[in-house]
Amino acid sequence: MARFYQSQPPSAPPAPEGYGWGEPYPAAPQTNYGGQTNYGYPSFPPGTPPNVVQSFQMADRDRSGFIDERELQQALSNGYQRFSLRTIRLLMFLFKNPMDPLRIGPKEFTELWSCLGQWRGVFERFDRDRSGKIDATELKDALYSLGYALPQSVLQVLLSRYENASSRRVELNFDSFVECGMVVKGMTDKFKEKDPRYTGSATISYDAFMSMIIPFIVQYDD
Ligand SMILES: [Ca+2]
């Protein structure tokens, strides 16, 4: 039986933890923000790069220590990349604090930022023709490098979302690439919960299946 994902990426290890996407960050932050409170904020994880702290604080206009989807969109757009609200909602859904599904705090924001940095690294590594976009072949290779061996038929369905009438060749900008990546990662992670030994198959009840998939589709299709 074909395995659609692997427990370990076959090649191309992910970018280092804490990579600040959009621009390089100093190898050793000059100030340790971990444990510090600014404006009564919940703490950032130790070693959080200063630009991550700054982006969060700039977006959190009401100084609540949490940011909502609009503020997250602003925080991530402070660089050069604007994310669609659709991608933002998907990111919120995947990185949410279980206690507060509509807002994220410093811890979730830092994890999200680090994850985006890794996906930015993958995007740039697999944009082999340097077009600034990821085509179908580049997407397939990129996902494979991360351990997601998707069947061609599934890839086609995934990409069909980004087709438009004027161009038959689908190319993804970073926003759409992240959206695709989060869908694949998020749904694979859900499946892995039911397949802890990574056999590639799982037995799942109807109720569990629906509970697993429906919240995801609602977010993604919003
Ligand atoms: Ca390309």
Short mmCIF file of all heavy atoms in Angstrom, two decimals, residues 152-212:
data_model
loop_
_atom_site.label_atom_id
_atom_site.label_comp_id
_atom_site.label_asym_id
_atom_site.label_seq_id
_atom_site.Cartn_x
_atom_site.Cartn_y
_atom_site.Cartn_z
N GLN A 152 -0.71 12.09 -7.43
CA GLN A 152 -0.89 13.13 -8.44
C GLN A 152 -2.34 13.62 -8.48
O GLN A 152 -2.61 14.81 -8.64
CB GLN A 152 -0.48 12.57 -9.82
CG GLN A 152 -0.37 13.63 -10.91
CD GLN A 152 0.75 14.65 -10.63
OE1 GLN A 152 1.77 14.31 -10.04
NE2 GLN A 152 0.53 15.88 -11.04
N SER A 153 -3.27 12.68 -8.32
CA SER A 153 -4.69 13.05 -8.40
C SER A 153 -5.06 14.03 -7.28
O SER A 153 -5.85 14.96 -7.49
CB SER A 153 -5.56 11.80 -8.32
OG SER A 153 -5.27 11.08 -7.14
N VAL A 154 -4.47 13.83 -6.11
CA VAL A 154 -4.76 14.73 -4.99
C VAL A 154 -4.13 16.10 -5.21
O VAL A 154 -4.74 17.14 -4.96
CB VAL A 154 -4.26 14.11 -3.66
CG1 VAL A 154 -4.41 15.10 -2.51
CG2 VAL A 154 -5.01 12.83 -3.36
N LEU A 155 -2.92 16.08 -5.74
CA LEU A 155 -2.25 17.34 -6.06
C LEU A 155 -3.07 18.16 -7.05
O LEU A 155 -3.19 19.38 -6.93
CB LEU A 155 -0.88 17.07 -6.67
CG LEU A 155 0.30 16.99 -5.70
CD1 LEU A 155 1.56 16.58 -6.45
CD2 LEU A 155 0.53 18.32 -4.99
N GLN A 156 -3.63 17.47 -8.03
CA GLN A 156 -4.42 18.18 -9.04
C GLN A 156 -5.65 18.84 -8.42
O GLN A 156 -5.99 19.97 -8.76
CB GLN A 156 -4.83 17.21 -10.15
CG GLN A 156 -3.71 16.95 -11.15
CD GLN A 156 -4.04 15.88 -12.16
OE1 GLN A 156 -5.11 15.27 -12.12
NE2 GLN A 156 -3.10 15.62 -13.07
N VAL A 157 -6.30 18.13 -7.53
CA VAL A 157 -7.47 18.70 -6.86
C VAL A 157 -7.06 19.91 -6.03
O VAL A 157 -7.71 20.96 -6.04
CB VAL A 157 -8.17 17.65 -5.97
CG1 VAL A 157 -9.28 18.29 -5.16
CG2 VAL A 157 -8.71 16.51 -6.81
N LEU A 158 -5.95 19.75 -5.33
CA LEU A 158 -5.44 20.83 -4.48
C LEU A 158 -5.16 22.08 -5.32
O LEU A 158 -5.52 23.20 -4.95
CB LEU A 158 -4.15 20.34 -3.80
CG LEU A 158 -3.58 21.15 -2.65
CD1 LEU A 158 -4.56 21.20 -1.49
CD2 LEU A 158 -2.26 20.51 -2.18
N LEU A 159 -4.53 21.88 -6.46
CA LEU A 159 -4.14 23.02 -7.30
C LEU A 159 -5.32 23.61 -8.08
O LEU A 159 -5.27 24.77 -8.48
CB LEU A 159 -3.05 22.58 -8.28
CG LEU A 159 -1.66 22.50 -7.67
CD1 LEU A 159 -0.69 21.80 -8.61
CD2 LEU A 159 -1.14 23.89 -7.32
N SER A 160 -6.36 22.81 -8.28
CA SER A 160 -7.48 23.29 -9.08
C SER A 160 -8.13 24.52 -8.45
O SER A 160 -8.75 25.34 -9.12
CB SER A 160 -8.53 22.19 -9.25
OG SER A 160 -9.11 21.87 -8.00
N ARG A 161 -7.93 24.66 -7.15
CA ARG A 161 -8.45 25.82 -6.44
C ARG A 161 -7.85 27.12 -6.95
O ARG A 161 -8.46 28.19 -6.83
CB ARG A 161 -8.11 25.65 -4.96
CG ARG A 161 -8.66 26.70 -4.05
CD ARG A 161 -8.23 26.39 -2.63
NE ARG A 161 -8.88 27.26 -1.69
CZ ARG A 161 -10.06 27.02 -1.13
NH1 ARG A 161 -10.69 25.93 -1.42
NH2 ARG A 161 -10.59 27.87 -0.28
N TYR A 162 -6.66 27.06 -7.49
CA TYR A 162 -5.93 28.28 -7.86
C TYR A 162 -5.91 28.52 -9.37
O TYR A 162 -5.23 29.40 -9.86
CB TYR A 162 -4.50 28.21 -7.31
CG TYR A 162 -4.49 27.94 -5.84
CD1 TYR A 162 -4.32 26.64 -5.35
CD2 TYR A 162 -4.73 28.96 -4.92
CE1 TYR A 162 -4.36 26.38 -3.99
CE2 TYR A 162 -4.77 28.71 -3.57
CZ TYR A 162 -4.58 27.42 -3.10
OH TYR A 162 -4.63 27.17 -1.77
N GLU A 163 -6.66 27.70 -10.09
CA GLU A 163 -6.76 27.90 -11.53
C GLU A 163 -7.60 29.14 -11.82
O GLU A 163 -8.52 29.45 -11.09
CB GLU A 163 -7.42 26.69 -12.20
CG GLU A 163 -6.52 25.48 -12.28
CD GLU A 163 -7.25 24.25 -12.77
OE1 GLU A 163 -8.50 24.30 -12.90
OE2 GLU A 163 -6.60 23.23 -12.99
N ASN A 164 -7.24 29.81 -12.89
CA ASN A 164 -8.15 30.85 -13.36
C ASN A 164 -8.27 30.76 -14.88
O ASN A 164 -7.49 30.08 -15.54
CB ASN A 164 -7.71 32.24 -12.89
CG ASN A 164 -6.37 32.63 -13.45
OD1 ASN A 164 -6.13 32.50 -14.65
ND2 ASN A 164 -5.47 33.09 -12.59
N ALA A 165 -9.26 31.46 -15.39
CA ALA A 165 -9.61 31.29 -16.79
C ALA A 165 -8.50 31.76 -17.73
O ALA A 165 -8.34 31.25 -18.83
CB ALA A 165 -10.90 32.04 -17.09
N SER A 166 -7.72 32.74 -17.29
CA SER A 166 -6.75 33.35 -18.20
C SER A 166 -5.48 32.52 -18.35
O SER A 166 -4.73 32.70 -19.30
CB SER A 166 -6.40 34.75 -17.72
OG SER A 166 -5.78 34.68 -16.45
N SER A 167 -5.21 31.65 -17.42
CA SER A 167 -3.97 30.90 -17.48
C SER A 167 -4.21 29.45 -17.11
O SER A 167 -4.78 29.16 -16.06
CB SER A 167 -2.95 31.53 -16.53
OG SER A 167 -1.84 30.67 -16.38
N ARG A 168 -3.77 28.55 -17.94
CA ARG A 168 -3.97 27.14 -17.63
C ARG A 168 -2.89 26.62 -16.69
O ARG A 168 -3.06 25.60 -16.04
CB ARG A 168 -3.96 26.32 -18.93
CG ARG A 168 -5.18 26.60 -19.80
CD ARG A 168 -5.23 25.64 -20.95
NE ARG A 168 -5.32 24.24 -20.52
CZ ARG A 168 -5.12 23.21 -21.32
NH1 ARG A 168 -4.84 23.40 -22.58
NH2 ARG A 168 -5.21 21.98 -20.86
N ARG A 169 -1.78 27.32 -16.65
CA ARG A 169 -0.68 26.86 -15.80
C ARG A 169 -0.82 27.48 -14.41
O ARG A 169 -0.80 28.70 -14.27
CB ARG A 169 0.65 27.27 -16.44
CG ARG A 169 1.87 26.74 -15.71
CD ARG A 169 3.10 26.81 -16.60
NE ARG A 169 4.29 26.37 -15.87
CZ ARG A 169 5.22 27.21 -15.42
NH1 ARG A 169 5.12 28.50 -15.63
NH2 ARG A 169 6.27 26.75 -14.75
N VAL A 170 -0.99 26.63 -13.43
CA VAL A 170 -1.20 27.14 -12.08
C VAL A 170 0.14 27.44 -11.43
O VAL A 170 1.05 26.60 -11.43
CB VAL A 170 -1.96 26.11 -11.22
CG1 VAL A 170 -2.19 26.65 -9.82
CG2 VAL A 170 -3.28 25.75 -11.87
N GLU A 171 0.27 28.63 -10.90
CA GLU A 171 1.45 28.98 -10.12
C GLU A 171 0.99 29.63 -8.82
O GLU A 171 0.08 30.45 -8.81
CB GLU A 171 2.34 29.94 -10.89
CG GLU A 171 3.05 29.28 -12.06
CD GLU A 171 4.21 30.15 -12.54
OE1 GLU A 171 3.94 31.25 -13.04
OE2 GLU A 171 5.35 29.71 -12.39
N LEU A 172 1.65 29.25 -7.75
CA LEU A 172 1.25 29.73 -6.43
C LEU A 172 2.20 30.81 -5.93
O LEU A 172 3.42 30.63 -5.98
CB LEU A 172 1.27 28.57 -5.42
CG LEU A 172 0.47 27.31 -5.78
CD1 LEU A 172 0.64 26.27 -4.67
CD2 LEU A 172 -0.99 27.65 -5.98
N ASN A 173 1.63 31.90 -5.45
CA ASN A 173 2.47 32.84 -4.71
C ASN A 173 2.66 32.29 -3.29
O ASN A 173 2.14 31.23 -2.94
CB ASN A 173 1.85 34.25 -4.70
CG ASN A 173 0.48 34.28 -4.04
OD1 ASN A 173 0.10 33.35 -3.32
ND2 ASN A 173 -0.27 35.34 -4.29
N PHE A 174 3.41 33.02 -2.47
CA PHE A 174 3.72 32.47 -1.14
C PHE A 174 2.46 32.28 -0.30
O PHE A 174 2.33 31.29 0.43
CB PHE A 174 4.72 33.38 -0.42
CG PHE A 174 5.18 32.82 0.90
CD1 PHE A 174 5.75 31.56 0.99
CD2 PHE A 174 5.04 33.56 2.06
CE1 PHE A 174 6.18 31.04 2.21
CE2 PHE A 174 5.46 33.05 3.29
CZ PHE A 174 6.03 31.79 3.36
N ASP A 175 1.54 33.22 -0.41
CA ASP A 175 0.28 33.12 0.32
C ASP A 175 -0.45 31.80 0.00
O ASP A 175 -0.80 31.03 0.90
CB ASP A 175 -0.59 34.33 -0.06
CG ASP A 175 -1.93 34.35 0.64
OD1 ASP A 175 -2.12 33.61 1.62
OD2 ASP A 175 -2.80 35.12 0.20
N SER A 176 -0.62 31.54 -1.29
CA SER A 176 -1.33 30.32 -1.69
C SER A 176 -0.52 29.07 -1.38
O SER A 176 -1.07 28.02 -1.04
CB SER A 176 -1.63 30.36 -3.20
OG SER A 176 -2.42 31.48 -3.50
N PHE A 177 0.80 29.19 -1.48
CA PHE A 177 1.67 28.07 -1.15
C PHE A 177 1.51 27.69 0.33
O PHE A 177 1.41 26.51 0.68
CB PHE A 177 3.12 28.45 -1.45
CG PHE A 177 4.14 27.42 -1.07
CD1 PHE A 177 4.25 26.22 -1.76
CD2 PHE A 177 5.00 27.64 0.00
CE1 PHE A 177 5.21 25.27 -1.41
CE2 PHE A 177 5.95 26.70 0.38
CZ PHE A 177 6.06 25.51 -0.34
N VAL A 178 1.48 28.71 1.18
CA VAL A 178 1.28 28.47 2.61
C VAL A 178 -0.09 27.83 2.85
O VAL A 178 -0.23 26.89 3.63
CB VAL A 178 1.43 29.78 3.43
CG1 VAL A 178 0.91 29.61 4.85
CG2 VAL A 178 2.89 30.21 3.45
N GLU A 179 -1.09 28.34 2.14
CA GLU A 179 -2.43 27.78 2.30
C GLU A 179 -2.43 26.29 1.94
O GLU A 179 -2.92 25.45 2.71
CB GLU A 179 -3.42 28.55 1.43
CG GLU A 179 -4.85 28.13 1.67
CD GLU A 179 -5.84 28.96 0.85
OE1 GLU A 179 -5.56 29.27 -0.32
OE2 GLU A 179 -6.89 29.30 1.38
N CYS A 180 -1.87 25.96 0.79
CA CYS A 180 -1.77 24.56 0.37
C CYS A 180 -1.01 23.73 1.41
O CYS A 180 -1.42 22.64 1.79
CB CYS A 180 -0.99 24.45 -0.95
SG CYS A 180 -1.99 24.59 -2.41
N GLY A 181 0.13 24.29 1.81
CA GLY A 181 0.97 23.57 2.76
C GLY A 181 0.27 23.31 4.07
O GLY A 181 0.38 22.23 4.66
N MET A 182 -0.49 24.31 4.56
CA MET A 182 -1.18 24.15 5.83
C MET A 182 -2.32 23.14 5.74
O MET A 182 -2.60 22.42 6.70
CB MET A 182 -1.73 25.51 6.30
CG MET A 182 -0.67 26.51 6.72
SD MET A 182 0.32 25.94 8.12
CE MET A 182 1.94 26.02 7.40
N VAL A 183 -2.96 23.10 4.57
CA VAL A 183 -4.02 22.10 4.37
C VAL A 183 -3.41 20.70 4.42
O VAL A 183 -3.91 19.81 5.13
CB VAL A 183 -4.75 22.34 3.02
CG1 VAL A 183 -5.63 21.15 2.68
CG2 VAL A 183 -5.58 23.61 3.10
N VAL A 184 -2.33 20.52 3.67
CA VAL A 184 -1.70 19.19 3.62
C VAL A 184 -1.14 18.81 5.00
O VAL A 184 -1.38 17.71 5.49
CB VAL A 184 -0.58 19.18 2.55
CG1 VAL A 184 0.22 17.89 2.64
CG2 VAL A 184 -1.18 19.35 1.16
N LYS A 185 -0.43 19.75 5.61
CA LYS A 185 0.16 19.46 6.93
C LYS A 185 -0.92 19.23 7.98
O LYS A 185 -0.87 18.27 8.75
CB LYS A 185 1.06 20.62 7.37
CG LYS A 185 1.71 20.40 8.73
CD LYS A 185 2.50 21.62 9.17
CE LYS A 185 3.26 21.35 10.47
NZ LYS A 185 2.42 20.84 11.55
N GLY A 186 -1.91 20.13 7.99
CA GLY A 186 -2.95 20.05 9.01
C GLY A 186 -3.73 18.75 8.92
O GLY A 186 -3.99 18.10 9.94
N MET A 187 -4.10 18.37 7.70
CA MET A 187 -4.90 17.16 7.56
C MET A 187 -4.06 15.91 7.80
O MET A 187 -4.53 14.93 8.36
CB MET A 187 -5.57 17.14 6.19
CG MET A 187 -6.54 18.31 6.05
SD MET A 187 -7.55 18.28 4.57
CE MET A 187 -8.93 17.32 5.11
N THR A 188 -2.79 15.97 7.38
CA THR A 188 -1.90 14.83 7.65
C THR A 188 -1.69 14.67 9.15
O THR A 188 -1.71 13.54 9.68
CB THR A 188 -0.55 15.03 6.94
OG1 THR A 188 -0.77 15.18 5.54
CG2 THR A 188 0.36 13.82 7.16
N ASP A 189 -1.49 15.78 9.84
CA ASP A 189 -1.32 15.70 11.30
C ASP A 189 -2.54 15.07 11.97
O ASP A 189 -2.41 14.28 12.91
CB ASP A 189 -1.06 17.10 11.89
CG ASP A 189 0.34 17.61 11.57
OD1 ASP A 189 1.17 16.82 11.10
OD2 ASP A 189 0.59 18.81 11.79
N LYS A 190 -3.71 15.45 11.47
CA LYS A 190 -4.94 14.86 12.02
C LYS A 190 -4.96 13.35 11.78
O LYS A 190 -5.35 12.57 12.66
CB LYS A 190 -6.17 15.51 11.38
CG LYS A 190 -6.50 16.88 11.93
CD LYS A 190 -7.02 16.73 13.34
CE LYS A 190 -7.28 18.07 14.00
NZ LYS A 190 -7.46 17.92 15.44
N PHE A 191 -4.57 12.95 10.59
CA PHE A 191 -4.55 11.52 10.28
C PHE A 191 -3.53 10.78 11.15
O PHE A 191 -3.80 9.70 11.66
CB PHE A 191 -4.23 11.32 8.79
CG PHE A 191 -4.36 9.90 8.35
CD1 PHE A 191 -5.58 9.39 7.92
CD2 PHE A 191 -3.26 9.05 8.36
CE1 PHE A 191 -5.71 8.06 7.52
CE2 PHE A 191 -3.38 7.72 7.97
CZ PHE A 191 -4.60 7.24 7.54
N LYS A 192 -2.38 11.42 11.32
CA LYS A 192 -1.32 10.78 12.11
C LYS A 192 -1.76 10.51 13.54
O LYS A 192 -1.29 9.57 14.18
CB LYS A 192 -0.07 11.66 12.13
CG LYS A 192 0.77 11.58 10.86
CD LYS A 192 1.98 12.50 11.04
CE LYS A 192 2.90 12.43 9.83
NZ LYS A 192 3.99 13.43 9.96
N GLU A 193 -2.66 11.37 14.06
CA GLU A 193 -3.17 11.13 15.40
C GLU A 193 -3.85 9.77 15.49
O GLU A 193 -3.88 9.14 16.55
CB GLU A 193 -4.17 12.23 15.81
CG GLU A 193 -3.51 13.59 16.06
CD GLU A 193 -4.57 14.67 16.29
OE1 GLU A 193 -5.76 14.33 16.47
OE2 GLU A 193 -4.18 15.87 16.28
N LYS A 194 -4.41 9.35 14.35
CA LYS A 194 -5.09 8.05 14.31
C LYS A 194 -4.17 6.94 13.82
O LYS A 194 -4.58 5.78 13.74
CB LYS A 194 -6.32 8.14 13.39
CG LYS A 194 -7.32 9.20 13.78
CD LYS A 194 -7.97 8.88 15.11
CE LYS A 194 -8.98 9.94 15.51
NZ LYS A 194 -9.56 9.67 16.84
N ASP A 195 -2.96 7.30 13.45
CA ASP A 195 -2.00 6.34 12.91
C ASP A 195 -0.64 6.58 13.56
O ASP A 195 0.32 6.97 12.90
CB ASP A 195 -1.92 6.50 11.39
CG ASP A 195 -0.89 5.56 10.75
OD1 ASP A 195 -0.62 4.48 11.34
OD2 ASP A 195 -0.35 5.91 9.70
N PRO A 196 -0.57 6.40 14.90
CA PRO A 196 0.62 6.83 15.62
C PRO A 196 1.90 6.10 15.22
O PRO A 196 3.00 6.60 15.46
CB PRO A 196 0.27 6.55 17.09
CG PRO A 196 -0.85 5.58 17.04
CD PRO A 196 -1.60 5.82 15.77
N ARG A 197 1.75 4.93 14.60
CA ARG A 197 2.96 4.19 14.21
C ARG A 197 3.32 4.42 12.74
O ARG A 197 4.17 3.73 12.19
CB ARG A 197 2.79 2.70 14.50
CG ARG A 197 2.77 2.43 16.02
CD ARG A 197 2.93 0.97 16.32
NE ARG A 197 1.77 0.20 15.84
CZ ARG A 197 1.73 -1.11 15.77
NH1 ARG A 197 2.77 -1.83 16.12
NH2 ARG A 197 0.64 -1.72 15.35
N TYR A 198 2.66 5.37 12.11
CA TYR A 198 2.98 5.76 10.73
C TYR A 198 2.94 4.58 9.77
O TYR A 198 3.85 4.37 8.98
CB TYR A 198 4.37 6.43 10.67
CG TYR A 198 4.49 7.64 11.56
CD1 TYR A 198 5.53 7.75 12.47
CD2 TYR A 198 3.56 8.67 11.50
CE1 TYR A 198 5.65 8.85 13.30
CE2 TYR A 198 3.66 9.77 12.32
CZ TYR A 198 4.70 9.86 13.22
OH TYR A 198 4.81 10.95 14.04
N THR A 199 1.88 3.80 9.85
CA THR A 199 1.76 2.67 8.93
C THR A 199 1.18 3.10 7.59
O THR A 199 1.27 2.37 6.61
CB THR A 199 0.84 1.59 9.52
OG1 THR A 199 -0.48 2.15 9.66
CG2 THR A 199 1.34 1.11 10.86
N GLY A 200 0.55 4.26 7.55
CA GLY A 200 -0.07 4.72 6.31
C GLY A 200 -1.53 4.38 6.23
O GLY A 200 -2.20 4.73 5.27
N SER A 201 -2.06 3.69 7.24
CA SER A 201 -3.50 3.44 7.26
C SER A 201 -4.01 3.53 8.69
O SER A 201 -3.24 3.40 9.65
CB SER A 201 -3.84 2.08 6.64
OG SER A 201 -3.20 1.06 7.33
N ALA A 202 -5.29 3.77 8.82
CA ALA A 202 -5.87 3.92 10.15
C ALA A 202 -7.32 3.44 10.12
O ALA A 202 -7.97 3.48 9.07
CB ALA A 202 -5.82 5.39 10.59
N THR A 203 -7.77 2.98 11.24
CA THR A 203 -9.18 2.65 11.38
C THR A 203 -9.84 3.79 12.14
O THR A 203 -9.35 4.19 13.20
CB THR A 203 -9.34 1.33 12.16
OG1 THR A 203 -8.65 0.30 11.47
CG2 THR A 203 -10.81 0.96 12.29
N ILE A 204 -10.90 4.30 11.58
CA ILE A 204 -11.50 5.49 12.18
C ILE A 204 -13.02 5.39 12.08
O ILE A 204 -13.55 4.96 11.05
CB ILE A 204 -10.95 6.76 11.50
CG1 ILE A 204 -11.51 8.02 12.13
CG2 ILE A 204 -11.20 6.75 10.00
CD1 ILE A 204 -10.80 9.26 11.65
N SER A 205 -13.68 5.78 13.13
CA SER A 205 -15.14 5.74 13.11
C SER A 205 -15.68 6.90 12.28
O SER A 205 -14.98 7.89 12.04
CB SER A 205 -15.68 5.84 14.54
OG SER A 205 -15.47 7.14 15.03
N TYR A 206 -16.93 6.76 11.89
CA TYR A 206 -17.57 7.81 11.10
C TYR A 206 -17.60 9.13 11.88
O TYR A 206 -17.24 10.19 11.36
CB TYR A 206 -18.99 7.37 10.73
CG TYR A 206 -19.78 8.41 9.98
CD1 TYR A 206 -19.44 8.74 8.67
CD2 TYR A 206 -20.86 9.06 10.56
CE1 TYR A 206 -20.16 9.70 7.97
CE2 TYR A 206 -21.58 10.01 9.87
CZ TYR A 206 -21.24 10.33 8.57
OH TYR A 206 -21.95 11.27 7.90
N ASP A 207 -17.98 9.04 13.14
CA ASP A 207 -18.05 10.24 13.97
C ASP A 207 -16.69 10.94 14.06
O ASP A 207 -16.59 12.16 13.92
CB ASP A 207 -18.52 9.90 15.39
CG ASP A 207 -20.01 9.66 15.45
OD1 ASP A 207 -20.66 9.79 14.39
OD2 ASP A 207 -20.51 9.35 16.54
N ALA A 208 -15.65 10.14 14.31
CA ALA A 208 -14.32 10.71 14.46
C ALA A 208 -13.86 11.33 13.15
O ALA A 208 -13.25 12.41 13.13
CB ALA A 208 -13.33 9.64 14.91
N PHE A 209 -14.17 10.66 12.05
CA PHE A 209 -13.78 11.17 10.73
C PHE A 209 -14.44 12.53 10.47
O PHE A 209 -13.77 13.49 10.07
CB PHE A 209 -14.18 10.16 9.65
CG PHE A 209 -13.96 10.65 8.24
CD1 PHE A 209 -12.68 10.72 7.71
CD2 PHE A 209 -15.03 11.03 7.45
CE1 PHE A 209 -12.47 11.17 6.42
CE2 PHE A 209 -14.82 11.48 6.16
CZ PHE A 209 -13.55 11.56 5.64
N MET A 210 -15.73 12.60 10.71
CA MET A 210 -16.45 13.85 10.46
C MET A 210 -15.96 14.96 11.39
O MET A 210 -15.78 16.11 10.97
CB MET A 210 -17.96 13.64 10.62
CG MET A 210 -18.55 12.68 9.60
SD MET A 210 -18.28 13.21 7.89
CE MET A 210 -19.78 14.14 7.60
N SER A 211 -15.72 14.60 12.65
CA SER A 211 -15.24 15.59 13.61
C SER A 211 -13.87 16.11 13.21
O SER A 211 -13.52 17.27 13.49
CB SER A 211 -15.16 14.99 15.01
OG SER A 211 -16.41 14.49 15.40
N MET A 212 -13.10 15.26 12.58
CA MET A 212 -11.75 15.61 12.18
C MET A 212 -11.76 16.54 10.96
O MET A 212 -11.02 17.52 10.89
CB MET A 212 -11.00 14.31 11.84
CG MET A 212 -9.58 14.46 11.39
SD MET A 212 -8.96 12.89 10.74
CE MET A 212 -8.74 11.96 12.23
#
